[in-house]
Amino acid sequence: MADWKTLLYRTNLTPQEIREIPGAACENYIAARNYLVNTKGYTDAQLLDGLEISPEEFSVGKNWLHSLDSRQFNTNVFRHAPVLYTHKEYYQAGLAYQFVENDLFLIFFRAIPVTTILREISRTARKFNNQSEMDLIDISRRTAIIKLTPYPYFHACTVGCECRFVEGVLAANFEVHKINSYTTRHVICSARIENLLRYAYGHLGLEYREDGPDIYINEQRAGRRVRLRQQEVNGQQVFSDSIDEDSVDWNAIRITAPVIVQGRELFSPGEIYNAPCCLVELAWRSPSVFDRLRHFVGSRRLLTDSLEKIEEQIEFTNLKIFKLQEALSSSMRKSAIFQVYTRSSLVREVDAGKNPLTYEPRIELKAILFCDIRDFTSLAEIMTPIDMVRFLNGYYDRMNKVITENGGEIDKLIGDCIMAVFDTADHALQAGIEARQRLFEYNRERFSYGLQKIAAGIGITYGPVVIGNIGSRSKMDFTCIGDTVNVASRIEALTKLYGVGLIISEDLVRALLQQYRMRRIDRVMVKGKQEPVQLYHVYEPLPAHVQRKLITDEATLDRLFGLYAAGRFSEATEGYRECMQAVGPHSYAAGSCADPLLPFYIRRCTDMAERTRAGLVQLQKWHGIYEFMDK
């Protein structure tokens, strides 16, 4: 596993990699929770719903939340609000930071001058936050400019309200120091409007789209993409709210019309979002000489009264560490063994003090991957049972590593079949592609030892699954079931029929965020499904010259499939034969085409033409959907 500090500057992290990063100290969220519960009517159950950290661990200020948990907490704030809550109001939660009790940092915080704290903000911010870098750009006796730059990884985790919380914490600095005359201004904001609409306001069903430079929210023109100018401040080039009206090299969005929902203004004209960074201006009026003297005397007294408490806490902590060290070795050993035999996420929840036996079934959107060795029975006949187990273990080591490296979890191993679960479609497909590549490498290794080549099929789909405990009181399996799981299994079984290694469903294609090399291959009815399934072949693992040919002939292949779907089987057959001649033979499999789908469709079209002539297929009822009766 990479050092988590190096992960801060990467994008497209897997959920597991994000969990390795300590995103924000629980101290921040304890302040937010106390404020929301005491003043807004929330409950702990609402705010902590769906977090992986246990309520007990959450309540310890020195613990940390990873950024997926912090996103879940912030999403809960908006989803469970008694009345509509806006992201700009989250400033008040940050302002409540001063009310966190029994924290040694706050003891010293109150004793340090406000300007000193601001000058040290870059260094001290990392003690509480690994989501954004904070830099002091400029400071004088009465003003300061703070820049917040999100780490690259955090763009995928942010709700968009976090910077408002930080602005509130900066204001709390003034409150704690009894500076009552101050202002804060969010000059530009790095929060992504798309993330705000998805996580903060997702329960409202607001739609977002772009049309050139204009952005629309619920089909109302709400803003426009703009180019922010930079200005020099203390020798640094800093983005400001000044707009270059002539540039089309956009780097932010300016709100041009109010977005009002349920009587609350979510976005206001003139506000700037999607900026490269946040810029917060602070201004205050320095206290009088008398007030500063009184604050100094009070700070001295506060520090003196706290020394005894600090010494007691150090003594207690040393004793606690000694006891924990004794238990840690045994606990880690048990956890490591447990993780091999079950889901890693389940182990983390047990380690966090949760009891999975009490979990109720829930429905979640997941990508499901099935991977199965072809002709496994024939392979098993030429091996001893011991050799077969060793072979499977070597094969699983390679395949399972690809799955976990891409953020997936092994749900179960069924003989020679792997079922894996992923949070995102892209991670699942990337795992499938890499698994194919890893299998190619494994076969080269086996060939060098004179061993038989291994073939495997992979099927992936995306959709709702039921996740929960299935079994009896004495034996339980925490797994996924449902139509999505069944379809993934059926798709994997079809890879052998089509002669390809990796097939995905249209549901998965729609959920993908990145581009992949794929082609439509069929529209079928699989056993147990009432609706047709559109199948796609992902051909990235194919040789480069075959990939180039497929890309070149994509329009031709779509046209031929259209002929097939229209019942013009003879014309489609001739077209597929011409394509097969153009692609050429397989590089090492004698008598085979480099593209296995072409001979498959020649056989399919020939068979359908014969069945039509025999009266078994009526063209007026044929819609290009092939029905499979077997699993």
Side-chain angles (χ1 to χ4, degrees):
M1 178 63 66
D3 179 8
W4 66 263
K5 292 181 181 179
T6 66
L7 299 176
L8 297 175
Y9 303 95
R10 288 172 47 193
T11 58
N12 298 321
L13 297 185
T14 66
Q16 181 57 38
E17 288 173 324
I18 293 174
R19 290 186 180 99
E20 295 294 324
I21 303 173
C26 285
E27 193 165 347
N28 301 328
Y29 290 93
I30 292 172
R33 180 190 66 180
N34 291 344
Y35 166 76
L36 294 166
V37 170
N38 295 332
T39 66
K40 296 295 183 180
Y42 290 82
T43 66
D44 278 350
Q46 290 174 327
L47 295 174
L48 304 184
D49 180 31
L51 271 65
E52 295 181 2
I53 193 171
S54 68
E56 295 75 20
E57 290 178 308
F58 178 91
S59 299
V60 179
K62 294 302 181 183
N63 286 339
W64 286 69
L65 293 182
H66 57 67
S67 290
L68 296 180
D69 262 1
S70 66
R71 182 177 72 189
Q72 184 64 45
F73 179 94
N74 291 331
T75 301
N76 290 341
V77 170
F78 298 94
R79 180 188 301 163
H80 297 299
V83 295
L84 181 59
Y85 193 71
T86 73
H87 63 282
K88 289 176 281 191
E89 291 179 275
Y90 212 39
Y91 166 92
Q92 296 295 332
L95 190 61
Y97 189 83
Q98 61 181 303
F99 301 118
V100 177
E101 299 177 352
N102 300 322
D103 184 84
L104 296 180
F105 171 74
L106 281 183
I107 294 174
F108 293 102
F109 184 84
R110 293 188 180 102
I112 300 172
V114 61
T115 52
T116 301
I117 291 174
L118 291 176
R119 292 182 190 279
E120 294 294 317
I121 197 166
S122 296
R123 183 175 60 85
T124 57
R126 286 291 288 272
K127 297 180 180 179
F128 304 94
N129 155 64
N130 288 312
Q131 297 175 339
S132 299
E133 291 185 287
M134 297 178 63
D135 297 295
L136 178 66
I137 301 301
D138 188 32
I139 189 168
S140 66
R141 291 183 59 189
R142 296 185 178 183
T143 63
I145 300 176
I146 307 293
K147 182 176 74 169
L148 284 73
T149 307
Y151 287 109
Y153 92 93
F154 189 55
H155 286 301
C157 312
T158 177
V159 171
C161 62
E162 296 84 357
C163 55
R164 306 291 173 162
F165 180 89
V166 173
E167 183 184 358
V169 173
L170 293 172
N173 183 18
F174 298 120
E175 296 279 346
V176 169
H177 288 84
K178 307 302 180 183
I179 300 175
N180 298 320
S181 179
Y182 68 86
T183 61
T184 67
R185 185 170 80 95
H186 225 90
V187 182
I188 60 176
C189 186
S190 65
R192 300 296 194 254
I193 292 179
E194 310 94 299
N195 284 28
L196 283 167
L197 295 180
R198 179 178 180 182
Y199 297 113
Y201 306 124
H203 60 290
L204 301 176
L206 303 179
E207 296 182 356
Y208 173 87
R209 71 176 180 89
E210 302 170 2
D211 185 2
D214 297 320
I215 67 115
Y216 292 80
I217 298 177
N218 272 9
E219 295 305 319
Q220 298 296 318
R221 185 175 179 273
R224 187 173 180 85
R225 294 190 174 276
V226 295
R227 175 71 185 180
L228 300 180
R229 288 195 177 99
Q230 289 183 302
Q231 62 184 31
E232 185 172 327
V233 181
N234 283 339
Q236 300 184 57
Q237 291 295 319
V238 181
F239 287 102
S240 69
D241 55 351
S242 176
I243 306 298
D244 183 353
E245 300 289 353
D246 298 325
S247 177
V248 295
D249 186 16
W250 307 312
N251 59 5
I253 294 175
R254 179 173 57 185
I255 301 299
T256 57
V259 178
I260 300 174
V261 178
Q262 297 178 12
R264 306 299 305 279
E265 192 165 279
L266 306 187
F267 302 98
S268 303
E271 293 177 340
I272 294 176
Y273 292 89
N274 293 59
C277 63
C278 288
L279 211 62
V280 180
E281 286 183 350
L282 310 175
W284 66 94
R285 190 178 69 186
S286 299
S288 65
V289 174
F290 176 76
D291 287 338
R292 290 201 297 269
L293 179 61
R294 184 174 60 182
H295 177 68
F296 174 75
V297 174
S299 299
R300 289 281 302 271
R301 186 182 302 115
L302 179 62
L303 286 173
T304 301
D305 293 343
S306 300
L307 285 177
E308 184 176 345
K309 182 184 294 185
I310 294 171
E311 291 176 355
E312 291 176 357
Q313 183 166 344
I314 291 174
E315 182 178 352
F316 171 76
T317 301
N318 287 336
L319 177 61
K320 188 174 181 181
I321 289 174
F322 176 76
K323 292 181 178 179
L324 285 174
Q325 285 175 336
E326 290 182 323
L328 184 60
S329 177
S330 174
S331 176
M332 290 179 66
R333 181 178 61 85
K334 293 176 182 178
S335 180
I337 295 173
F338 182 35
Q339 188 163 345
V340 173
Y341 286 94
T342 189
R343 284 169 169 248
S344 57
S345 60
L346 208 60
V347 176
R348 285 194 299 272
E349 298 197 15
V350 172
D351 288 344
K354 299 179 181 180
N355 182 6
L357 293 176
T358 63
Y359 290 175
E360 293 294 326
R362 62 184 186 272
I363 298 177
E364 294 184 5
L365 288 173
K366 297 288 184 182
I368 306 296
L369 178 150
F370 273 82
C371 179
D372 195 19
I373 298 176
R374 293 180 186 162
D375 299 320
F376 179 72
T377 303
S378 300
L379 190 65
E381 290 175 350
I382 61 175
M383 294 186 185
T384 66
I386 299 300
D387 288 340
M388 175 54 61
V389 171
R390 289 173 178 165
F391 156 70
L392 284 175
N393 288 341
Y395 168 77
Y396 282 141
D397 275 342
R398 292 165 173 82
M399 297 296 106
N400 293 0
K401 185 178 181 181
V402 170
I403 290 168
T404 55
E405 285 176 346
N406 285 279
E409 283 194 305
I410 309 298
D411 186 272
K412 56 176 62 71
L413 303 176
I414 315 165
D416 61 311
C417 178
I418 303 170
M419 174 183 165
V421 183
F422 296 80
D423 288 334
T424 70
D426 288 273
H427 286 146
L429 183 51
Q430 191 60 42
I433 292 171
E434 292 181 18
R436 293 282 299 158
Q437 294 168 340
R438 199 69 58 90
L439 187 61
F440 293 155
E441 296 167 4
Y442 185 36
N443 277 327
R444 281 198 295 266
E445 180 183 332
R446 289 177 60 83
F447 180 77
S448 66
Y449 289 102
L451 298 175
Q452 182 177 337
K453 172 187 171 184
I454 302 301
I458 298 174
I460 315 174
T461 191
Y462 183 84
V465 298
V466 178
I467 301 177
N469 293 307
I470 297 178
S472 63
R473 293 182 179 179
S474 60
K475 176 63 176 177
M476 196 75 69
D477 188 16
F478 191 81
T479 186
C480 304
I481 61 172
D483 188 56
T484 301
V485 177
N486 296 335
V487 170
S489 176
R490 303 288 190 270
I491 291 175
E492 181 281 316
L494 292 177
T495 59
K496 183 176 181 180
L497 176 71
Y498 292 103
V500 297
L502 177 54
I503 296 179
I504 62 176
S505 71
E506 188 170 30
D507 289 332
L508 188 90
V509 173
R510 289 173 178 169
L512 292 172
L513 299 179
Q514 300 182 35
Q515 297 294 320
Y516 300 87
R517 293 176 178 175
M518 66 179 69
R519 54 179 172 169
R520 181 181 65 173
I521 60 172
D522 212 348
R523 195 158 181 250
V524 302
M525 294 285 292
V526 297
K527 183 72 172 178
K529 273 288 279 186
Q530 300 301 317
E531 298 294 330
V533 178
Q534 182 73 59
L535 302 179
Y536 291 82
H537 171 217
V538 179
Y539 55 83
E540 288 197 18
L542 288 177
H545 74 280
V546 177
Q547 288 192 32
R548 287 192 297 270
K549 185 62 181 175
L550 291 175
I551 295 171
T552 302
D553 287 346
E554 185 173 349
T556 301
L557 294 174
D558 284 343
R559 180 180 62 81
L560 294 177
F561 186 85
L563 293 174
Y564 158 78
R568 296 161 65 179
F569 304 120
S570 298
E571 294 178 61
T573 301
E574 292 304 315
Y576 282 121
R577 283 181 176 143
E578 292 175 5
C579 286
M580 191 168 72
Q581 291 176 356
V583 171
H586 199 282
S587 57
Y588 59 84
S592 298
C593 178
D595 182 356
L597 267 176
L598 297 176
F600 164 80
Y601 261 109
I602 291 173
R603 293 192 301 271
R604 167 75 70 80
C605 290
T606 301
D607 176 65
M608 292 299 294
E610 292 176 355
R611 294 172 65 185
T612 301
R613 286 192 294 270
L616 300 177
V617 174
Q618 299 179 14
L619 292 181
Q620 61 269 29
K621 296 182 179 180
W622 168 252
H623 302 292
I625 302 172
Y626 192 87
E627 184 172 358
F628 289 100
M629 304 305 296
D630 299 326
K631 293 185 179 182

